[in-house]
């Protein structure tokens, strides 16, 4: 198994591991807590762990499939890029949900990260200007465009804020650029300065 494939596999396996542990965990609260409860001090802790918590098996499966597909497309750029996009998307989705999400509710699930992958794949093409990126964008739009856009609308029992801010997180990650892309410059480094006593002489 390649390191890139292993990255997506381990991340997905962890989602399922938390869900399985919650099945035997006493009480109705996840082993990781309540998730994000907007505008509460204890709910703020859920910003980090909410993507790993799922309310039901159906909820988990619904997130697992696009997580594998879209995350698999992101990880083609490297494991570091995958981790970078997932982290930025989760944090912006979490903070946005805590600030603007429906109150008196627990917001959980990896959908914010999934929407982050979606936003990243759509927008990154603008900065890459590569044919392969454009083809990936067309594929993603064809597979998930209508579904993702409809999920951004407020609906009962759906964390629209997590979807919206997750998408914005992915766009932000695309705009900033991945760690790999930032480390390389479009322009070659300047030539080294000549040492004293060597090189051209002035007259």
């Amino acid at each position: 198994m390649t390191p890139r494939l292993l990255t997506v596999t381990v991340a997905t396996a962890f989602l399922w591991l938390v869900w399985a542990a919650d099945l035997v965990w006493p009480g109705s609260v996840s082993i990781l807590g309540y998730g994000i409860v907007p505008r509460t001090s204890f709910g703020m802790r859920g910003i980090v762990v909410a993507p790993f918590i799922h309310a039901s098996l159906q909820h988990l499966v619904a997130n697992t499939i696009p997580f594998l597909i879209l995350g698999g497309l992101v990880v083609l750029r490297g494991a570091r890029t995958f981790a970078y996009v997932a982290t930025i998307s989760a944090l912006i989705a979490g903070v946005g949900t805590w600030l603007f999400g429906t109150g008196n509710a627990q917001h959980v699930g990896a959908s914010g990260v999934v929407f982050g992958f979606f936003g990243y794949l759509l927008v990154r093409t603008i900065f890459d200007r590569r044919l392969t990126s454009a083809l990936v964008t067309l594929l993603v739009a064809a597979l998930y465009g209508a579904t993702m856009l409809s999920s951004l609308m407020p609906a009962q029992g759906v964390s629209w804020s997590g979807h919206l801010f997750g998408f914005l997180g992915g766009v932000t990650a695309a705009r900033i650029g991945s760690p790999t892309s930032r480390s390389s410059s479009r322009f070659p480094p300047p030539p080294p300065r000549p040492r004293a006593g060597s090189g051209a002489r002035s007259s």
Side-chain angles (χ1 to χ4, degrees):
M1 183 178 295
T2 65
R4 295 180 181 183
L5 180 60
L6 182 62
T7 299
V8 180
T9 302
V10 169
T12 305
F14 190 75
L15 301 181
W16 282 83
L17 180 63
V18 171
W19 176 80
D22 286 341
L23 288 180
V24 298
W25 185 257
S28 58
V29 180
S30 169
I31 61 171
L32 297 181
Y34 292 94
I36 302 170
V37 182
R39 297 170 294 282
T40 64
S41 57
F42 67 90
M44 185 180 294
R45 291 176 293 182
I47 291 175
V48 176
V49 299
F52 304 107
I53 306 172
H54 289 84
S56 65
L57 177 60
Q58 181 182 5
H59 185 206
L60 176 59
V61 171
N63 280 334
T64 295
I65 296 174
F67 186 90
L68 283 171
I69 295 174
L70 299 178
L73 292 173
V74 172
V75 85
L76 291 176
R77 297 171 174 268
R80 290 178 60 191
T81 298
F82 175 88
Y84 165 75
V85 176
T87 300
I88 295 295
S89 300
L91 289 178
I92 293 181
V95 172
T97 297
W98 189 86
L99 290 173
F100 303 105
T102 303
N104 195 30
Q106 296 171 241
H107 297 254
V108 296
S111 56
V113 176
V114 169
F115 272 80
F117 290 156
F118 179 69
Y120 177 86
L121 291 169
L122 286 183
V123 176
R124 189 59 202 167
T125 305
I126 299 174
F127 305 104
D128 283 348
R129 298 180 181 179
R130 295 187 304 192
L131 178 60
T132 53
S133 296
L135 293 176
V136 169
T137 298
L138 291 175
L139 176 62
V140 169
L143 288 175
Y144 287 102
T147 301
M148 291 292 188
L149 290 177
S150 64
S151 298
L152 293 175
M153 300 296 104
Q156 183 67 28
V158 177
S159 181
W160 64 269
S161 55
H163 296 173
L164 175 60
F165 286 100
F167 178 82
L168 294 177
V171 171
T172 301
R175 179 64 185 87
I176 296 174
S178 66
T180 302
S181 65
R182 290 201 307 270
S183 63
S184 60
S185 174
R186 293 168 55 187
F187 302 100
R193 298 177 61 182
R195 298 177 180 178
S198 64
R201 303 292 201 276
S202 59
S203 56

